[in-house]
Amino acid sequence: MALLRPSSRTRRRGADGDRIWTWLMLPGTLWMTGFLIASLALVAVLAVGTTDDLGNPRFGFDLSGVRALADPAYTEVLARSLGYALLTCAICLLIAYPVAYTIALHGGRYKHALIAAIVVPFFANYLVRMYGWSVVLSDDGPVLRALRAVGLADANTKILNTGVGVVAGLVYGFVVFMIIPLYAALERLDVSLIEAGRDLYGGPVRTFFFVTLPATRQGAAAGLVLVFLPSMGDFVSAQLMGGPDQIMIGNLIQDKFFQGQNWPLGSALTMLLMLVLLVGMLGYLRRTRKDEAEARR
Amino acid sequence: MTLLKLPSATAASRPALRPRARGRRGRAGRKPRVLVAVTALFFALLYLPIAVVTLFSFNSKKSPTVFGGFSLRWYRAFVHDDVLISSLGTSLRISLVAMAGSVVLGVALALGLVRCRTRLGPLAGLIMLVPLITPEIVTGVASMLLFKGLGVDLSTGTVMLAEITFSISYVTVILRSRVAALNPEVEEAAMDLGATRWQAVRLVTLPALLPAVLASAVLIFALVFDDFVLAYFTTGVDPQPLSVRIYSAIRFGVQPTINAVGTLMLVGSVCLIALALFIPRLFGRRGGLDILSGE
């Protein structure tokens, strides 16, 4: 049958060919627009709105929420969040490079198993992992006991309830985001480049800084973004591992929505967080675009 | 994740870039002791918290740091804790609904995104990426405000809706590359044999995608079951999801029962992830980590 009317079939295929893909795409896109894009827009609107006596959002134009952001109490928290998130990025990079390098270049046939062994615990419940980590770092937990045994800590040294604890929590939570892109980049790295570096009498350190690091820069950049995003928005680490004086912007947002019931201020803080992350993302995109332009030349 | 241009790029480009010399132990192949030691220390610290939770779930004492002997008392406490058990049921229901909803919407979206040539395509692709680059607390706050703004009371149902929204992206990312790897000529051949476009998709394309669809479904189930932030912002007062319960429990000090619940959740997640990794192999395909990374 089909052979008997090939022309009509071809025509029909061209016509409804594209339509069916649009129809398939539509439900998901509409769903996401309705539930996600609209809700993000709502946060932006409420940031300049108010609430009634019962706490329900009321729309209008009121800048008190935005103006409150200038309060030194909030700028301090924002600065601390930025500091902790950037520190987390740096530490994750320092940890992830040797680990990803060892697995990618010296892992041999255990490579995939080792990477799986890093990824799998990451999929375990975040809260349970964090809770376990807080027990490990607690005052009579194994880490401090080991440090005391070798004389690196005394009886008064604390990790929990300090900034160190918060950053340790963030690193533990998100280091996998750094390892995976770095591993992918190192896996792809042409080993003969390293050998060439050695042939030219570059020591291991020089070869690393002049050959390996530049060649895997994109993986590191992707990892930095992937760690920075969740670190900046996290509120569990500061709550479990830090004290009340270690709160981050995530804790403030949570507080404004649940305890303080100040939704406009909470929304303004959320928009501020988004703004910081957007700046980070744009920086990353500009960097990679520059890299790509150079690669093309 | 596609936006972030992970350097794993395409699977096809990999073999060419990996010279054969890798197998032989060249100068780069000497095992540097320091690197191996750092990696070993990393693995020890990575697994220590998990080991501690598991070990102390069998503790006969209440202490979180002193092990008093083997006992199942905290597992027994969990089984008899009506609140935790009903939370477990809530979490299971949420995960099932979110899995079904997001897989249906996500698979259709992935097919459409890859094949569509109209201007709507890039826009839809952009919208799909938003949850992946937005921190969970922002999406959590936004969903909560949307429901409140619409006058909907927060409940298990609102958690389901929110979880579907954010799972669609994962399904689409995982499936997009699989769809792109399919040969559209097979579909054309089916249509030359008399199938309609829809029949070709249903009878040819979807079966070819089945392993990736199943793997992503299992993965979504695990992710939604473990998710805390979104659930925390969108749940009501009716039996809250398990992770929200765990959060309120660990916030107010040590709760040994949480060790038992946590251990069970760890075992469950690991089994599901293993299953997701294994599914493509069941169908005789190279499975593995590429499912997780969506490459």
Side-chain angles (χ1 to χ4, degrees):
Chain A
M1 278 285 272
L3 279 174
L4 289 176
R5 32 184 191 124
S7 60
S8 73
R9 175 153 296 272
T10 331
R11 224 184 306 128
R12 245 188 55 208
R13 190 185 297 170
D16 68 21
D18 261 2
R19 212 171 299 147
I20 186 178
W21 304 128
T22 310
W23 281 115
L24 279 173
M25 206 165 61
L26 226 46
T29 307
L30 286 178
W31 181 290
M32 302 265 280
T33 311
F35 281 102
L36 182 72
I37 308 299
S39 63
L40 287 173
L42 198 61
V43 179
V45 170
L46 193 63
V48 291
T50 49
T51 43
D52 62 17
D53 294 339
L54 290 169
N56 295 315
R58 228 197 238 147
F59 305 107
F61 195 76
D62 183 75
L63 284 176
S64 57
V66 178
R67 247 185 249 125
L69 294 182
D71 188 326
Y74 296 135
T75 44
E76 189 195 316
V77 174
L78 182 69
R80 184 185 305 124
S81 311
L82 257 175
Y84 283 177
L86 290 174
L87 195 60
T88 301
C89 284
I91 295 173
C92 282
L93 194 63
L94 284 179
I95 295 173
Y97 239 114
V99 172
Y101 188 93
T102 313
I103 296 176
L105 274 78
H106 302 282
R109 63 200 170 97
Y110 300 111
K111 251 192 326 202
H112 295 295
L114 287 171
I115 281 297
I118 291 176
V119 173
V120 166
F122 165 74
F123 276 92
N125 189 283
Y126 179 65
L127 288 170
V128 174
R129 284 191 308 138
M130 273 298 183
Y131 168 70
W133 191 225
S134 74
V135 173
V136 165
L137 297 180
S138 65
D139 295 343
D140 47 356
V143 166
L144 272 178
R145 262 193 246 171
L147 287 178
R148 264 183 231 126
V150 296
L152 281 171
D154 57 40
N156 295 323
T157 314
K158 277 184 185 299
I159 296 178
L160 236 47
N161 292 320
T162 66
V164 179
V166 179
V167 175
L170 293 173
V171 169
Y172 185 75
F174 307 123
V175 68
V176 66
F177 290 133
M178 186 71 84
I179 293 184
I180 298 306
L182 266 184
Y183 169 79
L186 285 160
E187 242 261 281
R188 234 179 40 149
L189 178 75
D190 190 344
V191 192
S192 55
L193 284 178
I194 295 181
E195 288 175 5
R198 300 283 169 85
D199 284 344
L200 294 169
Y201 295 104
V205 177
R206 272 174 65 123
T207 309
F208 176 78
F209 279 106
F210 286 99
V211 178
T212 315
L213 195 60
T216 52
R217 194 174 47 191
Q218 284 214 17
L224 286 174
V225 173
L226 290 174
V227 172
F228 184 67
L229 284 174
S231 300
M232 218 29 216
D234 190 71
F235 61 94
V236 176
S237 179
Q239 201 154 53
L240 289 183
M241 329 283 271
D245 53 341
Q246 300 294 335
I247 57 164
M248 293 175 69
I249 187 164
N251 303 81
L252 269 187
I253 294 174
Q254 179 205 16
D255 185 67
K256 296 297 164 230
F257 278 100
F258 285 97
Q259 271 88 47
Q261 293 290 349
N262 191 345
W263 291 7
L265 182 51
S267 303
L269 283 164
T270 309
M271 292 314 288
L272 182 66
L273 172 64
M274 280 298 274
L275 199 71
V276 172
L277 297 176
L278 215 60
V279 171
M281 280 298 287
L282 288 178
Y284 165 80
L285 285 177
R286 254 188 70 191
R287 180 75 245 178
T288 44
R289 217 164 278 155
K290 228 166 121 193
D291 272 1
E292 270 165 27
E294 271 166 29
R296 239 178 272 127
R297 243 184 275 134
Chain B
M1 300 280 155
T2 335
L3 191 70
L4 291 169
K5 297 221 173 56
L6 297 189
S8 51
T10 54
S13 71
R14 244 183 254 161
L17 286 163
R18 215 186 316 168
R20 298 210 122 233
R22 171 72 62 86
R24 281 185 277 123
R25 278 228 191 154
R27 262 159 295 183
R30 257 181 293 131
K31 296 248 175 210
R33 293 225 177 94
V34 180
L35 286 179
V36 172
V38 170
T39 308
L41 182 67
F42 169 78
F43 270 99
L45 285 176
L46 183 69
Y47 276 92
L48 196 55
I50 295 170
V52 164
V53 168
T54 312
L55 177 68
F56 283 92
S57 73
F58 296 111
N59 196 0
S60 60
K61 283 193 189 165
K62 207 177 165 161
S63 160
T65 43
V66 182
F67 193 73
F70 181 86
S71 133
L72 287 176
R73 88 184 245 216
W74 305 117
Y75 288 90
R76 239 174 274 130
F78 167 56
V79 175
H80 292 117
D81 188 326
D82 290 339
V83 176
L84 282 178
I85 292 294
S86 65
S87 287
L88 174 70
T90 306
S91 282
L92 287 173
R93 268 188 298 142
I94 291 170
S95 308
L96 274 177
V97 172
M99 177 181 83
S102 63
V103 165
V104 171
L105 292 168
V107 171
L109 184 58
L111 274 168
L113 276 180
V114 174
R115 300 277 165 85
C116 180
R117 298 267 165 269
T118 57
R119 251 175 298 163
L120 192 65
L123 183 68
L126 211 63
I127 291 176
M128 183 216 91
L129 284 175
V130 173
L132 301 178
I133 55 166
T134 315
E136 261 200 290
I137 187 166
V138 174
T139 48
V141 164
S143 313
M144 176 187 165
L145 280 183
L146 181 72
F147 293 129
K148 290 273 188 173
L150 293 173
V152 179
D153 283 333
L154 296 181
S155 66
T156 307
T158 51
V159 183
M160 289 172 180
L161 291 175
E163 296 284 4
I164 289 176
T165 311
F166 301 102
S167 306
I168 292 173
S169 299
Y170 289 100
V171 178
T172 310
V173 166
I174 291 172
L175 279 165
R176 215 174 167 175
S177 54
R178 297 293 154 125
V179 177
L182 288 182
N183 186 352
E185 280 168 25
V186 183
E187 252 170 53
E188 311 268 322
M191 285 187 291
D192 282 341
L193 292 170
T196 61
R197 175 65 85 171
W198 175 237
Q199 279 174 326
V201 168
R202 197 162 47 93
L203 299 172
V204 178
T205 314
L206 283 183
L209 290 174
L210 190 64
V213 172
L214 288 178
S216 65
V218 173
L219 205 62
I220 295 301
F221 187 92
L223 286 175
V224 172
F225 190 87
D226 276 336
D227 176 69
F228 155 65
V229 179
L230 261 182
Y232 175 68
F233 278 100
T234 51
T235 187
V237 284
D238 45 312
Q240 291 177 324
L242 197 52
S243 55
V244 179
R245 283 271 171 232
I246 293 181
Y247 175 71
S248 27
I250 58 181
R251 242 173 66 169
F252 299 111
V254 184
Q255 299 264 352
T257 315
I258 297 307
N259 284 327
V261 182
T263 305
L264 293 175
M265 285 174 89
L266 289 175
V267 173
S269 305
V270 171
C271 288
L272 286 178
I273 300 311
L275 185 64
L277 294 179
F278 186 67
I279 283 172
R281 271 198 207 153
L282 273 184
F283 290 84
R285 251 161 264 216
R286 251 192 78 240
L289 293 171
D290 43 343
I291 285 286
L292 297 184
S293 60
E295 289 291 341

